[in-house]
């Protein structure tokens, strides 16, 4: 610990980074950032912009950058992006995916992880794009190769069968679907790898807002595990944990 | 009316049948039987055995036979069948479909309707057999040609595609499915005729007992109309009304 | 396929229409339009304006016009109508039904289908007008003759009985009702043709937003099939499929 | 109080009746009986047999007879009736209505109330008989004239219109209906007196067990008040309170 | 009928009023107004402003005034009041109750009904004022004497007991309560007349928006009938029907 | 630890008690018993008999007796009591409260705790007796003085006010109520000490099985905390923790 | 009473305070303020700003200050604070806690209560701060010492264990948690004092808005009592009642 | 195909096995067995005994043995085991796990798969044993090494931390928990591998039968994917798919 404190004293280490290393988290005005999560849980901590002011988002993003070299923010609005861009150093690389409503910022010296594994992300329609984009953002941040297969609704089986090879080539699949949520079941019937279903909050009337999709996926007559409605970030991270397990095994295979 | 009453006096017409013709229904100890329903609604009145004693079932079946020449009973147990067989005349033809839990009794002089139209009944698995059987019973009673396509679950697309010609040959389809209830959506994506979905009360936990199937069918991203959970009789009758409309049109009957 | 590509090369066929013919769908910035749906499913693909920007609506409407000669848009706002009118050719006929919030655009060379069949659309009150209008729009687009019977709530039986002849003259009926949703049951008790119930999202408190109407229609003591709350487009299309089956049968009847 | 105690001492008054007059209730091994309720609330206290042993039912019935001269028991099984008959005096008049599952016992010296008012009880089908019977039992016990109008389901409007005069002659109506529960709405549209709806726990699948009927009655587009599912006793008592208010007013009318 | 038409021709009767008398309703651009409802159902038709434009409200109010001499509008906003005031004749008396959000307009020649009966309206807190005001408006419009007893929540029994005489003096009571909705139960335990409970959409979290109040009233251990959440108009009308029955009986009118 | 093991070797300590002291729990064929819970949580661990065989109940009761000197079993049937009585030593004192369905067994050398604090347990009716009995059992086992106030339903305020002194004398109150569950609210309005509400699974139809009572207590317009439906043991233990805090403070133990 | 009225006449007592002392409440244009609640219930009456206009909030705050010397307002917006500050005397001390959205105003002569007891308030994350702040405000107003332990989510056990001493030092704990709501269970497993759980309305999709947290706390496998979602004020007051009982006992301990 | 048929003709291949190879499934009186599922989906097809007669279970088990060499039956009763044991050959190895209610039968010549991967199965209490046992059965059948960690409820953190090494050693974890279902969240906070949560249908009252556990897991503040309530077989299979992906990668099989 002494070394750390001396580095701080010498100005070689920011107090933020020192706190992150010692306590595992960073305290900010906008709440704590769980800097040790990636190490402890093997998955990056995301910052949920929804329900926070742009200033709070920028504060937390800075804490993340300072302590881990990277910040991943989900459900960002334009104002959040502007706020982050204003506070970060010019050398920081900020990528904003509008469709996914995600922002990834990286310090120049950040070494992104690389996994030797592929995750496919499959959607039923354009309404599923934001959720799938969130999954893609975190999977890419974790280092997986991401394959997108979009607009393959169950009411048109031909579209799905066209992508059979890509579906089967992936090590793990995230399948997002709203309305009746049957797509993960149909896809899981075609592959022999883990499929993670994400219900999307589309639909209306009885079973709307993803409720029918969630219950349908939980009732699936094939093998699926699911996450909550619109939880693209969770699904992507879970897929990333599988991808890393596979990648680590590959790396250890002689 | 006088003629009717004279026929009753002469013993040429039973009081039951006379009441049915005059009032449209028959009063029994076990409740009223809506004898005029077939004429008024174009669909036979079914007798639901569930919740009635075998004696009540037999009484209502007799009233149906007396007033319309035929009795259709659903959700029958063995005791109901025995009770009906005991009270009816030898000349009455009693057919008991064990899987569908239905009983159809016909007087020797009963002229069954004949429709020039085909209804397909599609199921996802053995658990859907009872519900599909109920639909088949009423469709056959209405005179439609019934085509059964069973065990074609969505987790195995190959099974469905094997039956494409039969699916497309039908004038109307009843598709029964439990669990996630995606089969009607997949089938409706393959045909250009009306599809009526019937959720089946299978499944467990969240969305069990047909709830996921019902909400999934209501959220279908294709065109379906649905009936309540396990309502095979209603689905079959609705399909029968479509079949009769088609058959009448084929016969040139405007 | 070669012919098609030559036609494109020669400028005789737009790339959009060629894609539609080859792949069955058209890819736009605003998502895919399922151009083959009408052929495959026998029902036109509708464009749901809700949740899309006017620009996206206009893009998809153009894709629909280019590939099928017609665009049907539901739940349009004034801005959507303006956006479509701005991008389409002068020769395109644009009809906006304000009450139904629908827009139908047709290229000058579009040959609308004509069915020899009548569908009645029945409503309980003014609150059901938008939903019924959606059903009417798609039924008319499919070529059926549409008969409107409005404002016939169950609390005033006289109003319903006044329309008995019109109700019985239809080949198929769509009945929209909010609040307690009893109207389809009462209507179905008066006719011998298929009745499709549409719950409408009126009502308040317990069972509001169409929930009571939906459960009441599913529990109907007569024969109905239903669609989801406010799904006027689905109900209309399902009725259109019945109407076409009847019309085809009539056409084939000697 | 002294008089009462002296009457007890003299054996002219049972301790039970004395307790009832002093405290307003009677304490038994099977719980308290609210003897003062009829006086305080204007409505007799019913004893719910369901969930009690026959011995407990008999004990409470005895307490009721001792303290008020009458016992009203609902949802009785045969064993409950036998248990009551065994413990009560020969002079006590015990009436068991099998269909309503009610039992009314009266001491020989009991003076039943008489109201100058009529309540109609209307049902949609045989499944509503038990609930309606409970309402009838309490209404008769309160002294109202009860008019029964049974089996008038909404799917057959003719049956309802046949009873228009009887419906309009009543001072208050209790209308019981299961499934979609539309009957109270239709009836209330025909009369200008208070209608109390009772949902009945029939139906199956979505909205079954009276849930659709309850929500439909709460959403009624006409004027109704309702009670809980199967609460025939409550509906009957509420109608009885209206009938008594009318009767009292008639008696006071110069 | 001839007389009516001659009166129209002679300008003695407006076409609106003639239509109302002949058909029972008046057709306007904003929908139909059920002019015969008061006669048929014994209760005035209310115009619900919510969900209508001020112009539509004014149109319907005019139709009501023309055909029945009076218009009752509920859930009015300031704009609705302004719109009505603008279109109606100076001689029309317009009363706007801000707390109740109701408007009552009366033609100079309108003869309001007078009932010889009193209805009490009881509330638990200020949040129930709007709902109770709606009930009061319709009760007064029906001619009943209205007694208001406000702010008597169950958490302070003393407040309720202070009003015992007023509670017992009423012929019928409407009790509005939000949150846990226990007030109608407590009140009904103190009187021997009909109590109608109105759940109010207050509360938050589990059971909020009136859901706990509704289920609590339906489960009441005393005798109540209830209306839907916030249905002050329905509760008031139902109480008005009771009040009129009592008043008619008092008048000796059989 | 050595001492413990030597005591075991010397036969002075049973292996069960040694395991309990070392590991905090005892392993049996019927699962683990959390012997350290009373020390850690300050509340005795109860054994829930429901869902276990009598033999399993007896095994766990023995483990509890061996390790803590006492066993508390809830929701016992007669067979469970018999099974426990058969396996325990004669010197063990076994108390079975039939109404509460609880069993408390104590070794002869067990020193029960004694608290200088009083808890009142209040119920609305006989149906709440079992739940209240469970609370009483655990409160007595924790050493509190328990005051029972039964049958004080909200529909009869007089009964409640009769007990005002007893209600105010308690340091903490557990109030159990089914149906509409208003009793805790009314009681809490009368005292200035903590009230813990327990919804009881009575009631039927909408809001039955304790659902209305739970939501009503959560919505209470006064100050309450609640436990789950029928959770008499939890409510009693929570009240016991309050009683002990008060008792400790009284004893001057800081 | 005479003395009071003379004091009013002499201008020594405001009419508000006199009404409060005589009637227990103060009547204002914005509703009644329950001035006697603190005395009767031992807990201060809070003024809920949500749903009231700033003027109404200021009126009620004035009534509270006049009658009790203090006003506690929850869920205040900036406009409410401004309105209160404008109307109150300069000598009044107004404290606005922005995070908790609470306002506490005290007259210069107000003697705040002091309790010899400590309450800990524990939160899982920043989203729980408002709810916890409400609890803190009322606990401080009741005179308890408040200990805050923030940001100790269950996904990082280390953070919780760091605070073991503080958790165990409190006499009573309020634990607020959203999402899955597991924190109160984990905390209750570590202490032997009463824990009150407050579900917070975070989360999304299935179980969102505090529903999962509420049901999880009700199902807790340890001993908890709970309040409704976001009911920080209720939880704080209930904890305050426990704290006062402990404090009173301490004061009485010689 | 000819070869297959010749082998059947020569008696070298059973017709069942031939059908399985050609069609992918085997048709029996008790429904179809999906023999190709293991190949297609990489997961064995389980036979659910619940809802089938012992004879049907035995028939399907025989079909499974004939076509794939192994049968896995879940939720077996003693009668099912007896029925299977009676029909299978002596050489077949039948293993019945009573706690898990599973049966695995293997032909003597069956070569079980072997995976180089470990799955941990973690439970909160004895009530979770059956669900966890089902997961273990399928994981072992798929060839994974299974590590059981039982009885580590969240109310006693010490128990969990005792198993940290075992938790971290697994490649994938299945965590079963009933009541509030917090265990998977706590476990997932301690490991960096995929965790699959299984809600168990314990609990009572609000959120009982696994509903609170399911919603809690879906709301988890860490990263989890979940399966439906009690879906131990699905969770085990999903974990098996992850284990096989890891094992294949370890084997260097790309």
């Amino acid at each position: 610990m002494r070394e750390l404190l001396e580095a701080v004293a010498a100005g070689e280490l920011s107090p933020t980074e020192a706190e992150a290393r010692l306590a595992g988290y960073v305290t900010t005005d906008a709440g704590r950032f769980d800097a040790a999560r990636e190490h402890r849980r093997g998955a990056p901590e995301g910052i949920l912009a929804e329900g926070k002011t742009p200033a709070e988002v920028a504060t937390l993003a800075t804490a993340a950058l300072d302590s881990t070299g990277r910040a991943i923010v989900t459900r960002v609005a334009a104002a959040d992006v502007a706020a982050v861009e204003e506070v970060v150093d010019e050398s920081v690389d900020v990528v904003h995916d509008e469709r996914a409503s995600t922002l990834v910022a990286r310090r120049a010296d950040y070494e992104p992880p690389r996994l030797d594994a592929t995750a496919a992300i499959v959607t039923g329609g354009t309404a599923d794009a934001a959720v799938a984009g969130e999954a893609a953002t975190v999977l890419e941040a974790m280092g997986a190769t991401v394959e997108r297969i979009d607009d393959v609704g169950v009411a048109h089986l031909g579209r799905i069968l066209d992508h059979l090879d890509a579906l089967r080539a992936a090590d793990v699949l995230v399948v997002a679907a709203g309305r009746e949520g049957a797509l993960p079941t149909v896809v899981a019937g075609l592959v022999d790898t883990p499929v993670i279903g994400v219900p999307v909050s589309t639909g209306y009337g009885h079973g709307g807002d993803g409720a029918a999709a969630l219950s349908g996926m939980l009732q699936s007559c094939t093998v699926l595990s699911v996450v909550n409605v619109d939880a693209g970030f969770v699904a992507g991270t879970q897929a990333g944990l599988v991808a890393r397990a596979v990648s680590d095994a590959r790396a250890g295979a002689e």
Side-chain angles (χ1 to χ4, degrees), chain A residues 149-170:
Chain A
I149 302 169
D150 289 315
D151 275 319
V152 291
V154 293
H156 191 168
L157 292 186
R159 286 194 197 168
I160 299 173
L161 298 175
D162 288 356
H163 294 282
L164 207 48
D165 288 347
L167 293 170
R168 289 187 171 157

Side-chain angles (χ1 to χ4, degrees), chain A residues 155-249:
Chain A
H156 191 168
L157 292 186
R159 286 194 197 168
I160 299 173
L161 298 175
D162 288 356
H163 294 282
L164 207 48
D165 288 347
L167 293 170
R168 289 187 171 157
D171 293 299
V172 61
L173 298 97
V174 169
V175 186
R179 303 296 295 270
E180 80 278 55
L183 187 60
T185 292
V186 168
V187 168
L190 298 170
V191 302
D192 63 356
T193 38
V195 173
I196 298 161
V198 196
V200 178
S201 64
T202 49
Y204 58 90
H206 184 72
D209 278 332
L214 173 63
S215 60
M217 291 182 198
L218 288 169
Q219 290 291 345
S220 174
C221 53
T222 181
V223 172
L224 291 178
S225 65
V226 307
V227 296
N228 206 346
V229 175
D230 289 341
F233 190 84
V234 177
T237 313
Q238 177 83 332
L241 294 177
V242 174
R244 206 184 42 206
V246 167
S247 177
D248 286 356

Side-chain angles (χ1 to χ4, degrees), chain A residues 4 9 22 25 58 72 97 99-100 108 123 131 137-138 155 222 224 234 239:
Chain A
L4 244 83
L22 285 170
Y25 46 76
I72 305 176
D97 180 333
R99 204 153 223 196
T123 63
V131 169
T137 295
V138 71
T222 181
L224 291 178
V234 177

Side-chain angles (χ1 to χ4, degrees), chain A residues 76-145:
Chain A
V76 289
D80 300 314
V81 178
V84 171
E85 279 173 342
E86 199 173 306
V87 299
V88 300
D89 214 270
E90 235 168 62
S91 68
V92 169
D93 175 47
V94 176
V95 178
H96 172 212
D97 180 333
E98 250 184 281
R99 204 153 223 196
S101 297
T102 59
L103 174 156
V104 179
R106 278 185 285 209
R107 276 201 326 236
D109 62 346
Y110 177 74
E111 284 283 337
R114 288 278 166 260
L115 300 182
D116 178 12
T118 302
I121 300 178
V122 187
T123 63
T126 35
D128 309 323
V131 169
E134 234 179 51
T137 295
V138 71
L139 270 162
E140 278 159 5
M142 291 176 79
T145 303

